[in-house]
Amino acid sequence: MSEPFSHLAIHHEPLHWVVMAFAYALSFVGVFVLFELFAQVDFDTKPLFGIVALTGLPVVFDIVTPLRTTLPDVTYSALGVAAFALGVFYLHFDQFQTVQLAGEVDDPIVVLDDEGRVHDFNQSARDLFPALSGSVGEAFETLLPDVAAAVASPDAVVSVGRNGRTEYYSVSENPFSADRSRIGRSITLTDVTEKRRHERELERTNERLERFASTVSHDLRNPLNVAQGRLALHREAHDDEHLATVSNALDRMERLIEEILTLSRQGRAISETETVVLSAVVDDCWEVVDTGEAAVHVESDRSLAADADRLQQLLENLFRNAIEHAGPDVTIRVGSLEEGTGFYVADDGPGIPADDCEAVFESGYSTARDGTGFGLAIVKEIADAHGWDIRATAGTDGGARFEVSGVEPAD
C-alpha cells in the first residue's frame, strides 16, 4: 500500500481462517483421542492440559494481533500445530508407550515401574481389582499380594471372587522398555475360568468312574473267587470234562474285570511325560506278552515324549490283538510314520475289513470267539489321554496296521 506511505499490509482473507480452523480442528481431534486413551487406562491427564494450552495460545495471538500494534501481524496457527506435535513427541518418549501398552489390551493389565510400583492399569484391571483406583505409586506386592504370588508360582493362576462367583486368571509377566532402556514390566491376566472348571469337572468325572469301576470289580471278584475256590476243590475229587468249561468261563470273567478296570483308568489325561525310546519299550512289552512263535521287528529307534507305563500297555494290547487274530506265528513290525509324527504297529495276518476299521476301537467289539472286546478300546483311551490320534488301516503285508500320530518328539 502507498498511504500514508509505502508499506506492507496483511489482510486475512476467508481462506486463511478456513486453513487455520482446519489445522486447529486436527490438533484438537488429536488431543481428544489422547485424552480418551489416557482416561481409559486411568493415566494422569494433566500433561494433556498443558498441550491444549500450548496449542490454543497462538489462537489468542491471532485474535489480539489486529487490536494491538505491539504484535506483528502474522499467522500464528503454525505455532499451535508445532506445539501439539512437540507435546505428543514428549509424551511418546516419556509416558505414551506405557499408555499404549495398557490401553490396547482387552485383558486386565497392570503396568509396573522398574521398582515394582503400580504405574498404570486399564479399565478391565480396575473392574477386576477395585483396590487399584488411586493406587499409582503403591507397591504391587502390597496392593495385590495374591497376584504377585501367582507371578512367582509355577501354576501362575490366581482365583478372584467377583459377583458372587469365583473366577480364575492366568497371570503372565512381560518386561518392556523405551529407548532401549527397561522401564518396567506388565502383568497381564487372562480369564481361564471355563478351562479350569472343565478340568475340575473332568477330574470329578474320573474320580466317579474310578470309584464305580473299583466297586464293580470288588463286588464281582468276591463271588468269582468263591466259585473258583469251590471249583478247584471239586476238581480235586472229580474229573469232570464239564468243569473245564466252567473254569474257562470263570477265567474269562476275571479277564473282563481286569480290562474294565484298566479301561476306566487309562483314559485319564496325562500331565507329565518322559523321554522313552520306542525300541526299548517294544522289548519290554515282548517279554511280558505270551508271544508263542510270533516275531517282532523294530524298524525305528526314535525317542518320543510319553507316559512310559501307559505306552507299554498300548503296545502290549496291540501285540496281543495281533497274536489273537493272526495266529501264534504272526510277524509284527513297529516303525515310524513317514511324516515323522508318530509310529505304527503292523502284522501280516488277515487284516481288518474296511467297514470295521473304526468299530474295532469300540468297547465290547471283537471278532474273536473268546475275545473280551476291550483291548483296542484301551489302546484308544491311552492314545486319547496322550493327545494322540490312532487309526486302523490295511498293512503293506496284507494284515492290520495301527497308526498312532500326533506324537511329540522328545526334547
Side-chain angles (χ1 to χ4, degrees):
M1 296 183 65
S2 58
E3 294 181 1
F5 55 83
S6 296
H7 64 281
L8 175 65
I10 299 176
H11 297 281
H12 296 305
E13 300 294 332
L15 182 61
H16 163 80
W17 298 107
V18 170
V19 172
M20 189 174 72
F22 181 71
Y24 277 107
L26 289 180
S27 297
F28 282 110
V29 166
V31 170
F32 175 77
V33 171
L34 288 177
F35 180 83
E36 188 178 47
L37 179 59
F38 275 43
Q40 180 184 6
V41 299
D42 202 31
F43 201 85
D44 183 12
T45 56
K46 289 192 293 293
L48 285 178
F49 291 109
I51 293 178
V52 172
L54 288 174
T55 305
L57 187 59
V59 177
V60 177
F61 290 162
D62 276 329
I63 296 174
V64 173
T65 295
L67 305 176
R68 303 292 297 271
T69 58
T70 55
L71 292 175
D73 191 10
V74 297
T75 298
Y76 290 92
S77 57
L79 293 177
V81 177
F84 172 76
L86 288 175
V88 173
F89 180 81
Y90 164 77
L91 285 175
H92 180 271
F93 279 87
D94 188 47
Q95 299 164 328
F96 194 60
Q97 192 172 41
T98 303
V99 175
Q100 283 183 313
L101 183 65
E104 293 178 353
V105 178
D106 292 331
D107 291 332
I109 182 170
V110 181
V111 179
L112 310 180
D113 62 20
D114 204 27
E115 296 181 359
R117 295 188 298 258
V118 176
H119 186 60
D120 192 23
F121 46 86
N122 62 4
Q123 183 66 44
S124 298
R126 181 167 51 186
D127 292 342
L128 186 62
F129 301 110
L132 285 172
S133 296
S135 65
V136 174
E138 296 187 23
F140 178 67
E141 292 187 356
T142 302
L143 189 68
L144 299 175
D146 292 343
V147 180
V151 172
S153 170
D155 187 31
V157 173
V158 63
S159 60
V160 180
R162 186 182 186 191
N163 299 326
R165 53 176 280 184
T166 301
E167 297 179 353
Y168 297 90
Y169 290 84
S170 173
V171 184
S172 60
E173 178 184 30
N174 295 289
F176 65 92
S177 58
D179 197 22
R180 298 183 180 180
S181 299
R182 172 171 170 159
I183 61 176
R185 53 199 171 103
S186 63
I187 308 297
T188 304
L189 296 97
T190 304
D191 191 345
V192 293
T193 303
E194 292 305 318
K195 178 182 178 182
R196 180 57 64 96
R197 286 177 179 165
H198 176 72
E199 290 174 352
R200 293 196 170 184
E201 181 60 31
L202 185 59
E203 290 175 1
R204 287 193 291 267
T205 300
N206 286 336
E207 291 172 358
R208 289 195 298 268
L209 185 59
E210 171 72 15
R211 288 195 299 269
F212 169 76
S214 297
T215 300
V216 171
S217 173
H218 178 269
D219 291 346
L220 287 176
R221 274 208 173 97
N222 283 338
L224 179 62
N225 291 337
V226 172
Q228 288 175 328
R230 293 299 179 93
L231 176 63
L233 292 174
H234 187 78
R235 294 186 71 178
E236 290 178 2
H238 305 280
D239 186 13
D240 189 340
E241 63 177 345
H242 295 295
L243 296 182
T245 304
V246 175
S247 178
N248 291 337
L250 293 176
D251 290 342
R252 176 174 168 76
M253 287 177 61
E254 188 167 21
R255 289 200 309 274
L256 281 169
I257 292 171
E258 287 292 341
E259 294 199 355
I260 290 173
L261 192 59
T262 301
L263 183 64
S264 71
R265 292 171 174 167
Q266 294 299 343
R268 292 181 177 178
I270 292 172
S271 57
E272 294 184 4
T273 59
E274 58 184 297
T275 299
V276 296
V277 180
L278 185 60
S279 58
V281 179
V282 170
D283 291 341
D284 292 340
C285 295
W286 204 250
E287 292 180 0
V288 298
V289 174
D290 184 8
T291 57
E293 300 298 323
V296 64
H297 300 288
V298 184
E299 302 172 355
S300 173
D301 285 330
R302 67 167 297 172
S303 297
L304 49 95
D307 182 306
D309 292 335
R310 288 209 245 182
L311 176 59
Q312 182 168 339
Q313 179 81 47
L314 180 149
L315 291 172
E316 287 176 9
N317 281 21
L318 288 178
F319 294 163
R320 290 193 184 97
N321 180 77
I323 294 169
E324 182 178 278
H325 291 84
D329 59 347
V330 65
T331 298
I332 301 172
R333 293 183 299 106
V334 181
S336 294
L337 297 179
E338 293 182 359
E339 301 84 359
T341 59
F343 59 90
Y344 67 85
V345 177
D347 62 58
D348 59 356
I352 303 172
D355 294 339
D356 294 341
C357 284
E358 293 185 8
V360 294
F361 296 110
E362 297 176 3
S363 297
Y365 180 91
S366 178
T367 57
R369 184 174 59 84
D370 58 347
T372 63
F374 290 108
L376 292 181
I378 293 172
V379 167
K380 188 174 190 313
E381 289 291 338
I382 296 173
D384 290 345
H386 279 87
W388 302 339
D389 294 318
I390 185 169
R391 72 186 189 106
T393 185
T396 56
D397 297 330
R401 175 179 167 116
F402 295 90
E403 297 181 347
V404 180
S405 59
V407 180
E408 293 186 6
D411 295 332

